[in-house]
Amino acid sequence: MPQSPITAPATRLPGTAALAAHRVLTAGGWLHDATIRIDAAGAIARVETGVAAGPVSDTIILPGMPNLHSHAFQRAMAGSAERAGSGPESFWTWRERMYRLAQRLSPRDLETIATLLYVEMLEAGYTSVAEFHYLHHAPGGVRHADAAAASRALLSAAATTGIRITLLPVLYMYSGFGAQPPEPEQAAFVHPVGEYLALLDSLLADATGTARIGIAFHSLRAVTPAAMAQVLAWRARHAPGCPVHIHVAEQLQEVHECEAWSGRRPVEWLLHQGFIDRHWCLVHATHTTEEELRGVAQAGAVVGLCPTTEANLGDGLFPLAEYLAAGGRFGIGSDSQVSVSPIEELRWLEYGQRLLHGRRSIAASETDPHCGSRLYRAAIDGGSRALGQPGAAIAAGQAADLVVLDGGHPLLAGAQDDELLDRLVFAGNRPLVARVTVAGREVVREGRHVLADEAAAAFRDLMNRLRAG
């Protein structure tokens, strides 16, 4: 594993035996004046009421938010692709700029970027991340001495910062449907199936503590049905039940090309193959029909929505109202890192729907009329399922992945229970996060991660070097 540029935090992230709060959002609803007892393994031992373990004041404790889709290295280009070129700008022109960045990064650089990013995620209230990782090799596809060096750089960044991670090494083989040869700029991403399975084998031993390994197919255009079948057969033998993620139906061009290749739309094709089940996460799924949405919901899969990235790239708007009506599950992700805020993702998920439908409170329901509450709870549930990680609820046996809000903040004054989540989603921002624990270790205190300054300094040095080079 490459040496971390940031001091390892083994003795700097203290364990927490108990947290007391005026209000706690548990699996069964809100509790008042409660204490969460945490065991030595970082799990919730029990939740008590009427027992004070410390000052309660107006403290509010929520389950931490999972981030189900991240490309860590893209944090180094966030906000730097907004200058228009000579022709129309699109996802495809943005992709060319992303390729240029990817060709300049070493595993050590990747770790530096991810360390800052994961600090930012924790400060924002994300407590776990699914890292959709396809930057496997050096420029030109040259293999690192350790074939898993880039993967281990991400695992190291997660261990250093204390975030829970599901690493998703990505199978990327081709540039388009029908096994079109990869473009030269994609060489750093590409694996033949045998090498990819060897990578997975080598990483299984790293799946300890707060780190887990899943699998990912970059997209239907980047793999073949035969390759998918091989990987899924490996999964059945070596990692049954591990998460499976895939980009799908993000762009209309992709949908049209898939129809030309197979006679079916991308999500329709996956459903027809019988691949999708409750362990799958379909990232974006922007351009889907009502029939496809019903099929995804019935399969128990999760749709991974990344509203700030989808808006930044001009992808379109996912049909959320229809999907929720079908009983579908979703989670949120920061994707290209133009925003590292779960609140902004949830807010713009709803706002996009309001602009599309011309009415308010799209995500609300008869059983959960508080729009912010339903969004927050649903994203925790769907995100945890997509990561294959514990921590979806504050209950005995769950991981102590907790976000403590500043209940004394004026924005929350007078709010009761679910109204707190409404205010958090539609009017709150990062200053409302006071403390964060992951597996019972306190990683954020008074809104700051213990490694924030060191991570920022290392990132600045890297960005200056990239600019100078």
Side-chain angles (χ1 to χ4, degrees), residues 24 45 56 67 121 134 186 219 263 288 355 373 379 389 449:
V24 176
V56 172
N67 183 338
M121 286 183 186
Y134 54 81
Q186 296 169 331
S219 55
T288 45
L355 292 169
S373 169
Q389 293 271 17
H449 192 285

Side-chain angles (χ1 to χ4, degrees), residues 221-265:
R221 67 179 183 272
V223 296
T224 61
M228 294 181 74
Q230 281 184 263
V231 172
L232 293 174
W234 176 93
R235 173 178 175 265
R237 293 192 303 271
H238 300 285
C242 82
V244 183
H245 289 221
I246 186 171
H247 289 136
V248 68
E250 180 178 4
Q251 291 280 325
L252 281 172
Q253 178 177 325
E254 175 193 350
V255 175
H256 298 327
E257 290 176 353
C258 187
E259 288 177 311
W261 165 68
S262 69
R264 299 181 186 275
R265 300 165 59 87

Side-chain angles (χ1 to χ4, degrees), residues 434-459:
R435 299 169 64 188
V436 176
T437 68
V438 177
R441 293 192 301 167
E442 186 173 70
V443 293
V444 173
R445 177 178 291 177
E446 296 181 355
R448 292 279 288 171
H449 192 285
V450 65
L451 300 178
D453 291 338
E454 294 174 65
F459 182 81

Side-chain angles (χ1 to χ4, degrees), residues 186-203:
Q186 296 169 331
F189 313 152
V190 172
H191 275 121
V193 175
E195 279 190 20
Y196 177 72
L197 295 181
L199 173 66
L200 293 177
D201 284 331
S202 72
L203 289 172

Side-chain angles (χ1 to χ4, degrees), residues 394-418:
I394 297 178
Q398 292 287 324
D401 295 359
L402 308 169
V403 171
V404 181
L405 300 184
D406 176 10
H409 194 286
L411 182 66
L412 301 179
Q416 297 298 313
D417 295 349
D418 284 352

Side-chain angles (χ1 to χ4, degrees), residues 77-97:
M77 66 176 286
S80 298
E82 305 306 320
R83 180 178 177 178
S86 57
E89 288 288 315
S90 67
F91 165 84
W92 307 101
T93 56
W94 171 89
R95 190 177 71 162
E96 296 303 317
R97 298 173 189 176

Side-chain angles (χ1 to χ4, degrees), residues 1-2 4-5 106-112 114-115 118 133 146 148-160 165 167 203:
M1 186 178 295
S4 172
S106 69
R108 185 181 179 91
D109 297 336
L110 180 58
E111 184 172 355
T112 297
T115 299
Y118 295 162
H133 167 55
D146 172 9
S151 295
R152 293 195 169 110
L154 293 163
L155 292 171
S156 180
T160 296
I165 188 170
L167 181 67
L203 289 172

